[in-house]
Amino acid sequence: MSTTTSHTPESEGPAETPSPRPVRLIQNECTTEIPVHLLFRDDPDPVAVPLRPAVVGRRRGTGEQPRLGRPAPARARPAPPLDPDLVERPARVLPGAAGVLAGAGGVAGALATSWWAGALPPLAAHALRLPASAGAGPGPAQWAAYAGAGALGVIGFGGLARGATGRAWVVGLFGRYRGTVRRTGLLWVNPLLRRRRVDVRLRHWRSEAMPAADGNGVTVRVVVLVVWRVRDTARAVLGVEDHETYLRECVEAALARVPVEVPGAARAGADSAMDALTRLVAADVAAIGLEVFSVQPVRVEYAPEVADAMHRRRIAALDDRQRATRLTSVVDSVEDTVTRLTTRGLVELDDCERKTLVRDLTVAFCSGRGDSGP
């Protein structure tokens, strides 16, 4: 018997190498052929590219709608640069009793020195129950004692101050900020320090008529009421020349950016204008230590040059609104009348008769409402 040997593909020779994969291409109606691997080349030092929202146009023939990127949020304006060390801190003060004791010690020292020098009158010595002095007059030692006692009395009594509720002192020495005194009662403050009184109570300011504009760009005059207070006395007094003038200018600048509606506008518009004004002014004055609680328009009127024209325009708008309201009421009445007549079977109308009835009822209702008023 002859044996046949079966040959398999493995025994015929080495395995065939797979054919290389075809290069993938990107191709559409608007682009040429671009190899895919060229879009993802590995750079030796890749540079990070920040991604930004963009608008991608629609490709022809695909039905794809353009994708709109989200608008970037408005950035808050940076606060004006000020000295970072200029922050309110409490000043070093002593109770008023210390100043009183120092002043009394100075007076007592002056009397004792006078008795020592023999310059104290006998009546004063007798009243103070002091023995007779054998001094022959003031000498160098007595004059030095006089100087020390006088300096002690001046420093003791000269540093006395009365702190009141809602008031504060910004104190400084040789142009340098030394602290703020907010304590109340009798206090002793170094008499060499310069004191500047600041009102830290809740305050309100009613402005004069300021120029502004409404939502349509028409010039208006606005009177605002600002409720505010001083939060950081150091920045308010030393950060600007006059913090009250700075507050007024910030309010005027905010009115130039926020539209203010006249009293006849919607209530929501007035509330949004008040909120926007308060937010803008509070952000502007926060850097100088002021705290604004509300900026509320209390009187809004058109400027004199446009007041007559806007008055006529508002009257015309009111007439149009009243006319539209009256016409809607008439149409509803006619529709209700015709519907009731036909649904109850009182009349049977064809299209021509229905039109005639509607016309007659409309004329009748309009005439009646015109005679009786709105």
Side-chain angles (χ1 to χ4, degrees), residues 160-187:
L160 292 177
R162 182 175 61 88
T165 303
R167 305 281 184 175
W169 285 305
V170 176
V171 296
L173 181 62
F174 304 122
R176 184 177 180 182
Y177 174 64
R178 290 296 184 179
T180 300
V181 181
R182 286 181 177 261
R183 297 173 57 179
T184 59
L186 186 62
L187 306 171

Side-chain angles (χ1 to χ4, degrees), residues 31 71 82-83 91 130 138-139 144 152 154 172 185-186 203 217 223 237 247 258 266 273 277 285 290-291 356 362:
T31 62
L82 292 177
D83 187 0
L130 296 176
L152 183 61
V154 170
L186 186 62
R203 305 171 63 183
V223 177
V237 175
L247 175 63
V258 177
L277 287 173
V285 301
L290 301 186
E291 186 175 5
T356 302
T362 302

Side-chain angles (χ1 to χ4, degrees), residues 115-129:
W115 174 81
W116 179 24
L120 189 67
L123 293 179
H126 179 71
L128 296 175
R129 297 180 182 182

Side-chain angles (χ1 to χ4, degrees), residues 317-339:
L318 290 176
D319 291 342
D320 293 341
R321 190 182 309 171
Q322 181 180 4
R323 192 177 298 108
T325 302
R326 182 184 303 175
L327 181 59
T328 302
S329 177
V330 168
V331 171
D332 292 341
S333 300
V334 171
E335 182 182 6
D336 184 58
T337 302
V338 174
T339 302

